Amino acid sequence: MDKFSFLNAAHTAYFAELYDQYLQYPDSVEPSWRAFFQGFDFGLETSGNGQTYVEHPESGEPVEMSDSVLKEFRVVKLIEGYRSRGHLFTKTNPVRERRKYSPTLDIQNFDLSESDLDTVFNAGDILGLGPSTLREIVAHLRKVYCDSIGVEYMFIRNPEQVKWIQDRLNINENQPAFTAPQKKHILKKLNEAVSFENFLHTKYVGQKRFSLEGGESLIPALDAIIEKAADLGVKDFVMGMAHRGRLSTLTNIFGKSAKDIFTEFDGKDYEEDVFDGDVKYHLGWTSCRKTDNGKEININIAPNPSHLETVGAVVQGITRGKQDRHYQNKADAVLPIIVHGDAAIAGQGIVYEIVQMSQLEGYSTGGTIHIVVNNQIGFTTNYLDGRSSTYCTDVAKVTKSPVLHVNADDVEAVVHAVLFALDFRMQFGKDVFIDLLGYRKYGHNEGDEPRFTQPKLYKAIASHSNPRDIYAEKLQEQGIIDDSHVKKLEEEYKAKLEENLEDSRKEEKTRITPFMQDEWEGFEHVDESRMMEEVDTTIDMEVLTEVAQAVSELPSDKKFLRKIKKLVELRRTMFFESNSLDWSMAELLAYGTLIKEGYYVRMSGQDVERGTFSHRHAVVKVEDSEEEIILLNQIKGTICDTRKGSSCDFKVYNSLLSEYGVVGFDYGYAMASPNCLTIWEAQFGDFSNGAQIMIDQYISAAEDKWKLQNGLVMFLPHGYEGQGAEHSSGRMERYLQLCAKDNMFVADVTTPANMFHLLRRQMKVNYRKPLIIFTPKSLLRHPKVVSTKEEFANGTFQPLIDDAEAKADKVKSLVFCTGKFYYDLLERREELERDDVALVRIEQLFPLPAEQIKAVISKYKNADDVVWAQEEPRNMGAYSHLLLHLEETKNFRVCSRKFYGSPAAGSSVRFKKRHEKVIESVFDKTLEVTVK
């Protein structure tokens, strides 16, 4: 029997389904069928009116195709067209005509005609309709794909996900099906959103509030997500959003008292002098909410700066921190929601970084619901000038995440779409994007005049009804409410606001409520005097030995590279024989001892598992299988001993090649995990400038603005070794300029023992401050950069290290320096055999140990030459910082490179020449003028 005799048969439903499968996943179809369909597609594309004959894939002979089968395939093509391009022809824009796209989805473009409309096609089975007329099929497709919701999903390559989406869309033709009580609840939340903005507009005329008007359906959408997610087992919500609609969200979703918001509007001073606070639409909030079904949930909205998308990375880190510590192996228990602006999600690169993190082992959070409050305008810039992509959400295609474009005026469609998104996230653990297409009633802020730049658009907006009134009219037509229902809702809600306003006027001060206070119980806010107190970081030698044993012994039943075996054996020699421990042992022993004391450690960044300079080897690999072993997780008493276990006490992850996004993530992780030593390491110190916004807006200022503590540690490799401009300086001067009062620690330590105690101090105190450590490169293996195990066990962190070899009465030149430059100077002093020069190291640059520095100066009474020596150019490094914080510095003789725009020379010859001159000037006062 001829292989294609089916073409003359009547059972075309099977062929249609097979063709549909081929169109979506060509490789899933048996090769001969695939060849047949390829021939058919080629015929459609080249003949213009379809092909009656298809070439047999084996014999090459023409096979006649019946007209009924031909048209079935054309209907399948039509269905495919709606699935792929239906979102381009939706009714999703409430105030503008959509752009025109071609070709359209008219049946003529699929070689079908009006005469086919009443013909029954088995292709209806694909849609769950059963055999249906073309007219019914088209009507169904228009409702599913071209009404108030446009769906993009056909770029997804996972058949299970695509089938789930298609099955879901075909239910009720992708139309909402809410009960009357549910509709009334939606109207209630919509009224809250509208009435809240109206109230503020009349009570605080002209004040910036970044109104949600035009996108008020966000409030019932968020309400629906939280209510349904709680029923699905979500315990914690972490949300990030910029300023647009934030105040309404705080009040109507998070339960922040309107009284507190009104107090902030009144511009009152803060009740605590130590905090400067921030504008009202940047503040965070944490609360416990009880859902309508009685579920208690924790909801958090993270504080954010005006750098709109920055908070997204922080939210991901907070989410992962909560998942790791409170809901081990259960990502579903914490749901991140990020609310974007359309211009920001399209224009800011951090969004791409965050999206690229979403499926990575070290950064995944089980999927995020992204909601774009799409104003169709960014400040004054039209969307056509704000992006090259068709949609602002096209970044979703990076991870093949579905996108739903929704008309913000159709609140039921909005709620329907977000519930779809929630179910998809919970089912597949992937991101989903909602493009909430609305408008902005006023300008960028309420004092702005939008008609300057968009006169036509704002003429349309001025006469456009708000979403509540549109929905109320619809419910009246359905007989669900009467014409007094909305008026009653509005009056009741407004009365509550009036009461809150009256109460707020009685308050004299504004109080900043700490964010996530539940995670920070027992921790204190401290000033610089407490930061300078000595902390007990000693450890029992028995514990230290146990950790050393774990990190210096490989599993005996596995085969490792010879170099790895030698490296691990060297650790054993260092600790158990030579008693001369290097930098890598300082790190590993610090992590291990903290773990033994009940803390945990997370480290991430580029190449941190091995270490950029191949010193750390926190992860070692089995030679044959590349199985990954973390020796720190084999210490007796740790929770796990595998790479993948989410409960491991030591977690280390090579990051994607990102600074901004990863620093933001790790900052968020540290925010949610005060008992975790959270470390981000730059590949080279200057690479951290890729995360400058996070450093400026969060790391240096969050405690002052938002009352947030954070213990993030940043490792920034720093030191002048002739590697050029980009691999020498960690831009120390930038961090030091940001230092003020008690906002963070900055250190540039020179011994393994001091590094060990510095890391332990970070966790042993009952407060948290960001810690910036300028770490070494060449010193990682320097023969003099070693410490004894007794210094580890019994020592403490030293903010300043005096010269143990110098005799005070002999010293004529007292030299202060920091970091790796000390060893360069020490080497020269030994060469010159100078016992009249003392080299004193400032190990902590902020808070500066000023009293200790003054004491050292007093000690060396015979020194008539007090020097500050640095390898960096005069305008870089720590010099300007010392001038600001230590009066005595003005009398120091300064030895440094000249003022330069670039941190270092690219030529190694030029580098050595400049470096040598600085060293010479330290030991010869007459050369000072040549290096100024």
Side-chain angles (χ1 to χ4, degrees):
M1 182 177 176
D2 186 87
K3 182 171 218 163
F4 296 113
S5 61
F6 74 85
L7 294 173
N8 295 315
H11 302 292
T12 55
Y14 171 72
F15 318 142
E17 288 178 8
L18 195 60
Y19 184 49
D20 181 48
Q21 181 183 340
Y22 159 77
L23 288 175
Q24 295 185 69
Y25 312 105
D27 292 341
S28 68
V29 177
E30 194 267 334
S32 61
W33 281 102
R34 187 162 64 246
F36 169 79
F37 290 136
Q38 286 169 347
F40 172 71
D41 282 348
F42 178 74
L44 283 181
E45 291 170 9
T46 56
S47 70
N49 59 356
Q51 184 174 333
T52 308
Y53 293 88
V54 179
E55 190 177 276
H56 194 294
E58 294 175 5
S59 67
E61 296 178 359
V63 179
E64 187 174 4
M65 180 180 288
S66 69
D67 187 58
S68 62
V69 172
L70 184 66
K71 286 192 175 180
E72 286 282 358
F73 285 3
R74 288 172 180 164
V75 174
V76 175
K77 275 277 193 183
L78 174 69
I79 293 168
E80 184 74 7
Y82 272 89
R83 288 170 172 171
S84 301
R85 301 179 68 248
H87 56 87
L88 296 173
F89 305 98
T90 55
K91 305 168 186 173
T92 51
N93 198 321
V95 289
R96 275 177 166 162
E97 285 293 319
R98 286 212 59 168
R99 282 183 279 180
K100 304 299 181 186
Y101 295 93
S102 62
T104 66
L105 296 174
D106 293 342
I107 58 173
Q108 290 79 5
N109 290 324
F110 296 87
D111 292 320
L112 296 163
S113 66
E114 296 285 330
S115 61
D116 297 315
L117 284 172
D118 294 315
T119 302
V120 173
F121 291 96
N122 287 307
D125 278 343
I126 297 168
L127 301 171
L129 299 175
S132 306
T133 65
L134 180 58
R135 191 185 305 278
E136 291 169 332
I137 290 170
V138 169
H140 173 83
L141 290 170
R142 284 178 178 164
K143 278 192 170 183
V144 171
Y145 293 105
C146 299
D147 203 351
S148 291
I149 303 175
V151 189
E152 289 186 277
Y153 69 96
M154 288 300 284
F155 46 75
I156 296 174
R157 296 172 187 160
N158 183 310
E160 183 188 358
Q161 291 174 15
V162 171
K163 185 177 187 306
W164 186 95
I165 291 170
Q166 289 176 349
D167 289 346
R168 179 69 175 251
L169 293 176
N170 287 328
I171 297 172
N172 202 41
E173 296 183 313
N174 195 28
Q175 300 294 311
F178 297 115
T179 63
Q182 288 172 328
K183 291 180 180 184
K184 285 183 176 181
H185 181 77
I186 291 171
L187 178 62
K188 177 176 175 287
K189 298 306 292 184
L190 197 53
N191 174 69
E192 290 174 3
V194 172
S195 298
F196 180 78
E197 299 293 358
N198 287 342
F199 189 84
L200 290 181
H201 192 63
T202 57
K203 299 296 182 180
Y204 295 98
V205 178
Q207 277 211 45
K208 288 184 184 179
R209 69 178 194 276
F210 298 101
S211 146
L212 186 59
E213 286 160 282
E216 294 99 330
S217 51
L218 173 69
I219 298 303
L222 291 173
D223 179 71
I225 291 173
I226 290 171
E227 290 286 333
K228 176 73 179 296
D231 290 339
L232 296 176
V234 174
K235 306 293 184 187
D236 245 302
F237 295 83
V238 186
M239 186 169 158
M241 70 183 297
H243 46 259
R244 178 74 53 204
R246 187 181 183 89
L247 297 179
S248 181
T249 302
L250 281 166
T251 298
N252 295 314
I253 297 297
F254 285 81
K256 182 174 182 177
S257 169
K259 182 191 80 170
D260 292 340
I261 290 177
F262 298 149
T263 301
E264 291 159 8
F265 263 103
D266 289 332
K268 295 169 183 171
D269 199 0
Y270 302 103
E271 66 177 11
E272 296 175 77
D273 292 335
V274 292
F275 302 107
D276 279 345
D278 199 359
V279 291
K280 51 197 166 289
Y281 38 79
H282 286 176
L283 301 175
W285 189 262
T286 296
S287 61
C288 183
R289 169 172 162 167
K290 182 170 278 191
T291 69
D292 291 345
N293 289 336
K295 303 280 176 62
E296 285 198 353
I297 51 169
N298 191 45
I299 52 179
N300 310 273
I301 183 167
N304 71 293
S306 287
H307 299 70
L308 305 176
E309 295 295 334
T310 303
V311 73
V314 176
V315 163
Q316 298 298 335
I318 292 171
T319 301
R320 179 61 178 264
K322 285 176 172 287
Q323 289 170 341
D324 282 355
R325 283 300 123 185
H326 301 309
Y327 308 102
Q328 294 164 6
N329 299 315
K330 198 177 178 188
D332 282 1
V334 189
L335 175 65
I337 304 169
I338 301 177
V339 180
H340 308 264
D342 52 312
I345 193 174
Q348 297 193 18
I350 189 165
V351 179
Y352 178 83
E353 295 181 31
I354 294 166
V355 165
Q356 281 286 20
M357 288 181 188
S358 64
Q359 299 295 308
L360 302 181
E361 180 192 348
Y363 307 93
S364 64
T365 55
T368 299
I369 295 178
H370 300 264
I371 304 177
V372 182
V373 178
N374 190 337
N375 301 314
Q376 309 183 55
I377 186 171
F379 202 159
T380 67
T381 304
N382 280 316
Y383 69 93
L384 291 172
D385 297 317
R387 63 177 185 266
S388 297
S389 57
T390 301
Y391 295 113
C392 62
T393 51
D394 280 349
V395 70
K397 293 168 186 174
V398 171
T399 48
K400 305 293 182 288
S401 299
V403 183
L404 291 89
H405 306 278
V406 198
N407 189 322
D409 271 0
D410 188 342
V411 66
E412 285 190 20
V414 172
V415 174
H416 179 78
V418 298
L419 294 178
F420 171 102
L422 173 65
D423 287 345
F424 182 88
R425 185 269 182 184
M426 300 299 284
Q427 178 72 26
F428 297 107
K430 282 189 65 177
D431 288 7
V432 195
F433 288 74
I434 304 291
D435 179 14
L436 190 63
L437 200 68
Y439 55 90
R440 189 183 69 193
K441 185 174 180 180
Y442 304 106
H444 175 67
N445 61 65
E446 285 66 35
D448 202 25
E449 176 48 83
R451 287 179 175 82
F452 287 153
T453 47
Q454 283 83 22
K456 185 177 176 183
L457 172 63
Y458 274 87
K459 186 177 180 181
I461 290 172
S463 59
H464 193 76
S465 297
N466 69 58
R468 181 201 62 191
D469 293 346
I470 292 171
Y471 189 47
E473 186 178 339
K474 179 179 177 181
L475 295 190
Q476 284 183 54
E477 290 172 358
Q478 294 175 2
I480 293 173
I481 63 170
D482 58 31
D483 56 4
S484 66
H485 186 83
V486 170
K487 187 178 180 182
K488 184 181 177 185
L489 285 177
E490 190 171 19
E491 287 175 350
E492 289 175 353
Y493 185 73
K494 186 180 177 183
K496 288 181 183 177
L497 294 180
E498 288 283 5
E499 186 180 334
N500 276 274
L501 179 62
E502 188 176 335
D503 289 344
S504 75
R505 298 277 158 86
K506 299 172 186 175
E507 301 285 343
E508 294 182 1
K509 300 264 184 161
T510 296
R511 187 171 74 91
I512 299 177
T513 303
F515 173 63
M516 286 202 309
Q517 60 267 41
D518 52 323
E519 302 283 3
W520 287 85
E521 190 174 342
F523 289 87
E524 300 178 6
H525 290 274
V526 303
D527 60 18
E528 56 267 43
S529 63
R530 283 281 302 278
M531 292 170 72
M532 289 302 295
E533 289 178 1
E534 187 172 304
V535 178
D536 181 6
T537 53
T538 59
I539 188 76
D540 287 345
M541 185 63 77
E542 185 180 332
V543 174
L544 195 68
T545 303
E546 185 182 338
V547 175
Q549 179 73 37
V551 299
S552 61
E553 184 175 356
L554 292 167
S556 58
D557 59 340
K558 300 180 190 296
K559 184 180 178 184
F560 296 89
L561 290 171
R562 188 180 303 165
K563 285 186 177 180
I564 290 293
K565 290 174 70 175
K566 186 177 178 181
L567 182 147
V568 175
E569 286 168 4
L570 181 60
R571 292 176 183 172
R572 174 171 290 277
T573 301
M574 274 191 274
F575 191 90
F576 293 99
E577 297 177 23
S578 66
N579 194 15
S580 183
L581 283 65
D582 68 3
W583 202 272
S584 66
M585 282 296 278
E587 278 194 45
L588 296 173
L589 292 174
Y591 306 148
T593 55
L594 285 170
I595 288 168
K596 288 293 290 181
E597 292 176 306
Y599 300 99
Y600 48 106
V601 181
R602 172 191 167 92
M603 172 180 279
S604 89
Q606 293 153 23
D607 311 295
V608 296
E609 293 177 6
R610 187 199 76 179
T612 297
F613 310 104
S614 198
H615 79 286
R616 182 174 296 119
H617 292 280
V619 177
V620 293
K621 293 195 176 184
V622 177
E623 184 175 2
D624 299 329
S625 65
E626 293 196 356
E627 177 190 351
E628 295 178 328
I629 306 291
I630 296 178
L631 297 177
L632 278 168
N633 282 329
Q634 299 191 8
I635 300 171
K636 184 180 178 183
T638 54
I639 299 172
C640 77
D641 59 0
T642 63
R643 173 74 170 106
K644 302 291 182 183
S646 66
S647 300
C648 296
D649 285 323
F650 180 75
K651 298 168 184 282
V652 57
Y653 302 103
N654 285 342
S655 74
L656 66 164
L657 201 66
S658 151
E659 290 85 35
Y660 189 1
V662 175
V663 169
F665 185 101
D666 285 328
Y667 181 88
Y669 195 98
M671 192 188 297
S673 313
N675 285 314
C676 177
L677 179 66
T678 307
I679 301 167
W680 176 78
E681 181 175 60
Q683 194 174 69
F684 287 88
D686 59 305
F687 288 3
S688 66
N689 58 21
Q692 197 66 48
I693 291 173
M694 280 307 314
I695 294 160
D696 290 347
Q697 304 303 325
Y698 280 92
I699 291 169
S700 67
E703 186 169 6
D704 210 16
K705 292 191 297 188
W706 305 320
K707 210 172 180 178
L708 288 182
Q709 293 193 65
N710 195 289
L712 178 68
V713 180
M714 296 177 70
F715 284 176
L716 307 179
H718 174 90
Y720 280 56
E721 286 115 346
Q723 296 191 54
E726 271 71 54
H727 291 159
S728 296
S729 175
R731 296 290 192 175
M732 181 185 292
E733 63 282 351
R734 293 186 178 173
Y735 294 90
L736 294 175
Q737 185 191 27
L738 292 170
C739 290
K741 296 189 300 184
D742 50 23
N743 64 334
M744 56 183 170
F745 288 104
V746 178
D748 187 11
V749 295
T750 58
T751 74
N754 227 20
M755 180 66 167
F756 172 84
H757 291 292
L758 177 61
L759 291 174
R760 284 179 53 75
R761 183 184 75 173
Q762 186 70 357
M763 302 308 293
K764 298 291 284 184
V765 293
N766 68 337
Y767 60 87
R768 294 288 178 263
K769 305 281 183 180
L771 169 60
I772 314 300
I773 307 178
F774 294 96
T775 56
K777 296 175 289 183
S778 61
L779 299 192
L780 296 173
R781 295 175 181 82
H782 195 291
K784 290 193 174 182
V785 185
V786 291
S787 302
T788 66
K789 56 189 175 186
E790 288 76 19
E791 289 173 309
F792 279 59
N794 305 321
T796 188
F797 174 69
Q798 301 178 71
L800 179 144
I801 301 179
D802 197 357
D803 194 329
E805 297 178 13
K807 292 183 171 54
D809 58 339
K810 288 186 176 182
V811 170
K812 298 296 183 183
S813 288
L814 172 59
V815 181
F816 289 97
C817 61
T818 189
K820 167 251 174 190
F821 198 41
Y822 163 78
Y823 290 96
D824 296 339
L825 297 176
L826 180 62
E827 182 180 8
R828 181 58 52 88
R829 186 177 73 173
E830 290 173 349
E831 288 174 7
L832 297 172
E833 298 181 347
R834 294 279 298 270
D835 63 358
D836 63 336
V837 178
L839 301 175
V840 179
R841 288 165 272 178
I842 301 177
E843 301 279 289
Q844 180 172 286
L845 291 163
F846 192 83
L848 190 69
E851 295 307 313
Q852 289 179 257
I853 294 172
K854 292 173 187 177
V856 167
I857 294 173
S858 298
K859 172 185 171 183
Y860 294 95
K861 297 183 186 300
N862 296 331
D864 57 6
D865 179 32
V866 183
V867 178
W868 169 253
Q870 65 177 42
E871 55 187 346
E872 300 89 356
R874 183 72 57 92
N875 55 311
M876 301 178 193
Y879 177 53
S880 58
H881 171 69
L882 291 172
L883 282 172
L884 287 171
H885 292 272
L886 188 70
E887 186 70 22
E888 286 77 4
T889 308
K890 294 173 183 175
N891 299 318
F892 287 7
R893 180 168 65 91
V894 184
C895 297
S896 72
R897 283 167 165 79
K898 297 178 183 179
F899 291 80
Y900 287 107
S902 174
S907 159
S908 60
V909 172
R910 181 171 292 183
F911 158 77
K912 288 175 184 175
K913 188 185 298 182
R914 289 177 179 173
H915 201 65
E916 180 66 22
K917 278 186 177 181
V918 179
I919 294 172
E920 287 177 4
S921 73
V922 173
F923 294 91
D924 186 348
K925 287 189 286 187
T926 65
L927 297 177
E928 178 189 7
V929 70
T930 66
V931 293
K932 273 189 177 176

